[in-house]
Amino acid sequence: MDKVLVVGGGGREHAIITKLAESPLIEKLYCTPGNGGISKYAECFGVGATDIDGVVQLAKQLQPDMVVVAPDDPLVMGMVDRLRAEGFRTFGPVADAAIIEGSKVFSKELMKKFNIPTAYYEVFTESEKAINYLKQQDSYPAVIKADGLALGKGVIIAQNEEEAIKAVHDMIDELKFGKSSARIVIEEFLTGPEVSVLSFTDGNTIVPMISSMDHKRALDGDQGLNTGGMGTVSPNPYYTEDIAKECMEKIFLPTVSAMKAEGRTFEGCLYFGLMLTPKGPKVIEYNCRFGDPETQVVLPMLDADLYEIFNAIYDHKLDQVDIKWHEGSCACVVMASGGYPESYPKGIPMEGFDDMGQVEGCFVYHAGTKLDDEGRFLTNGGRVIGVTAKGSTLREALDTAYKGVDKISFEGAHFRKDIGQRALKALN
Ligand code: AMP
Ligand code: GLY
């Protein structure tokens, strides 16, 4: 029987841990840093997810049979490389492959070189040249992206020249996202429904997971600021079988072989952020990891042993695993702290949970919670929990998830009331 260490501490990691817990091959789950809710399902440690030396030390102490690195930063920083060098079995790409998320310039150049459909773009390191280009294009909205990781905030959709120029100055001259925005990409604005497709890949075989739809804006009706994601539904009704076939042929397989051809074989979860444009599906972004909160609606639909899949990826035998999906739908509604995605308080007491941090009928994935000395749940982050439910239909899944939301309260809590509405319309 195996022991597994998961690195990370959000709703995504909670979803990975509860799915791994179903595996008959695992006897013990560890998580670092974890959070209040995760601590009910895995033994948690105080080492931060970006502390590479600390995680390597912890792994040496715990001797897990596998280390799963879930967040983007440690992957891009090379945590998997270090763990592998110490002889650990791992899940997640090495740094050379994680660059597919770590540098938008890299990913755009990859797509251009291998004819993978994406928005037209130019790269800039000087604000003057970027501004001249914007003036010459004179086309709005304009999409301006920081090259490197920026906590999901490095994309500005500028509605006019003034906003675009400000974004360029903020990024290149003021280094708003540090080194990450010293280089920027300016790209064509695309339209169409967005789809998230996570996939398992061992570098040769790629198995797309069930599709999902994120809701990135803070407020109902897709208003307000961009967030890490306020809710998700799965499957995504816009992602038909025909579109899935087209994506496999024009995007998924070519990406995996492009990475291999570049000497950057990608092993782990490769996330495709797609836009279904009038001219066909195009890549908006790649992530080198499970999405958050996509994972919270995708993994509950998985009808297979996640640990067996992780092992098959490590051993390059993904083609030998039978991966099935449950019928029906899954929905996740994120409850966030008052003020999120800007500044928000922490340490607010939460009501409505049972001892495990759960409510009846749903699964509550904890993202930003902690336990106080008396074992009560307190808020401890912007996105606090993701209340998740399955149903035979999307409507049923949403009704159950919102019933769960009604049972939980904390001062200042806010959540979107229209998660899944666009998907429901698409189904009718
Ligand atoms: P990203 O952080 O790359 O996922 O971008 C955040 C959001 O910005 C995406 O989910 C899209 O809604 C939007 N976006 C990014 N690139 C484009 C584009 N080229 N055209 C239109 N919208 C975009
Ligand atoms: N939900 C989008 C992401 O994980 O990047």
Side-chain angles (χ1 to χ4, degrees):
M1 292 278 279
D2 285 6
K3 298 189 233 108
V4 178
L5 169 63
V6 176
V7 178
R12 163 185 55 206
E13 288 76 10
H14 198 178
I16 292 171
I17 281 167
T18 41
K19 195 69 198 179
L20 286 174
E22 290 174 12
S23 172
L25 305 168
I26 295 181
E27 67 168 341
K28 180 85 186 161
L29 284 158
Y30 303 111
C31 185
T32 197
N35 61 41
I38 292 177
S39 71
K40 302 286 183 180
Y41 295 82
E43 187 179 345
C44 292
F45 296 85
V47 182
T50 53
D51 178 356
I52 297 192
D53 289 336
V55 168
V56 170
Q57 277 311 315
L58 183 65
K60 283 184 178 167
Q61 178 196 325
L62 300 172
Q63 290 297 320
D65 297 280
M66 179 174 277
V67 185
V68 177
V69 182
D72 46 2
D73 303 82
L75 290 167
V76 171
M77 288 160 65
M79 188 179 281
V80 166
D81 309 55
R82 283 283 304 281
L83 288 162
R84 285 191 171 198
E86 297 289 342
F88 291 104
R89 291 169 69 85
T90 48
F91 177 80
V94 293
D96 273 352
I99 193 175
I100 198 165
E101 173 170 4
S103 167
K104 295 221 191 275
V105 174
F106 170 85
S107 71
K108 295 299 284 190
E109 283 170 356
L110 185 85
M111 289 187 269
K112 191 183 211 174
K113 181 167 171 189
F114 291 89
N115 277 320
I116 298 166
T118 189
Y120 180 79
Y121 74 101
E122 293 287 341
V123 177
F124 297 94
T125 50
E126 289 168 46
S127 52
E128 203 182 312
K129 287 193 178 148
I131 290 165
N132 282 343
Y133 174 76
L134 284 163
K135 289 194 167 157
Q136 176 202 328
Q137 294 284 306
D138 194 29
S139 158
Y140 295 93
V143 183
I144 300 162
K145 301 186 171 182
D147 177 37
L149 298 181
L151 294 169
K153 293 178 188 154
V155 176
I156 301 290
I157 314 279
Q159 298 300 333
N160 52 49
E161 190 176 299
E162 193 187 334
E163 283 180 25
I165 292 176
K166 181 175 182 329
V168 168
H169 281 309
D170 284 351
M171 289 195 194
I172 296 184
D173 301 327
E174 306 292 327
L175 294 177
K176 185 170 180 189
F177 304 108
K179 274 201 317 252
S180 287
S181 65
R183 251 194 327 183
I184 61 168
V185 171
I186 299 186
E187 69 177 31
E188 169 198 7
F189 179 76
L190 301 175
T191 54
E194 285 184 54
V195 184
S196 304
V197 181
L198 284 57
S199 70
F200 295 115
T201 178
D202 61 5
N204 293 306
T205 304
I206 179 161
V207 182
M209 299 182 217
I210 195 167
S211 61
S212 54
M213 182 193 285
D214 195 2
H215 297 68
K216 285 207 157 101
R217 299 296 198 94
L219 307 175
D220 285 8
D222 291 329
Q223 302 295 309
L225 295 171
N226 253 320
T227 70
M230 293 298 291
T232 34
V233 298
S234 174
N236 183 324
Y238 290 102
Y239 190 72
T240 61
E241 257 176 58
D242 284 346
I243 291 175
K245 268 197 205 125
E246 192 180 349
C247 289
M248 189 60 151
E249 196 186 307
K250 295 187 180 153
I251 296 174
F252 305 159
L253 289 169
T255 301
V256 166
S257 36
M259 289 298 278
K260 196 173 167 187
E262 295 289 294
R264 297 174 179 275
T265 302
F266 190 102
E267 297 170 33
C269 172
L270 182 53
Y271 166 129
F272 299 87
L274 306 171
M275 196 169 269
L276 308 180
T277 77
K279 290 188 189 154
K282 296 193 181 189
V283 177
I284 288 278
E285 63 162 348
Y286 291 115
N287 290 331
C288 66
R289 48 163 178 96
F290 282 98
D292 189 340
E294 283 90 343
T295 308
Q296 290 89 313
V297 292
V298 168
L299 289 185
M301 299 295 282
L302 176 64
D303 186 11
D305 182 333
L306 185 62
Y307 188 50
E308 195 185 332
I309 297 173
F310 285 179
N311 276 295
I313 289 172
Y314 187 82
D315 296 325
H316 303 111
K317 290 180 179 162
L318 187 59
D319 59 336
Q320 294 172 26
V321 191
D322 191 15
I323 299 177
K324 295 204 203 75
W325 300 91
H326 292 295
E327 296 290 322
S329 282
C330 192
C332 169
V333 180
V334 169
M335 294 180 80
S337 296
Y340 175 79
E342 296 186 288
S343 64
Y344 50 81
K346 288 184 182 177
I348 310 267
M350 305 180 70
E351 307 285 340
F353 293 134
D354 65 18
D355 285 351
M356 297 294 281
Q358 297 298 317
V359 295
E360 212 188 314
C362 296
F363 200 89
V364 183
Y365 293 115
H366 288 233
T369 68
K370 64 177 178 192
L371 294 170
D372 69 8
D373 293 343
E374 272 121 66
R376 288 172 306 202
F377 287 95
L378 305 179
T379 67
N380 193 37
R383 289 187 294 175
V384 180
I385 48 173
V387 183
T388 307
K390 288 205 281 188
S392 55
T393 61
L394 176 58
R395 193 174 290 280
E396 196 184 303
L398 285 164
D399 285 348
T400 313
Y402 275 107
K403 276 189 194 132
V405 168
D406 285 342
K407 292 181 187 145
I408 302 164
S409 58
F410 53 94
E411 199 186 312
H414 82 89
F415 58 89
R416 279 183 58 166
K417 294 170 190 66
D418 65 344
I419 299 301
Q421 288 307 313
R422 189 160 180 205
L424 282 175
K425 276 198 198 108
L427 287 168
N428 288 328

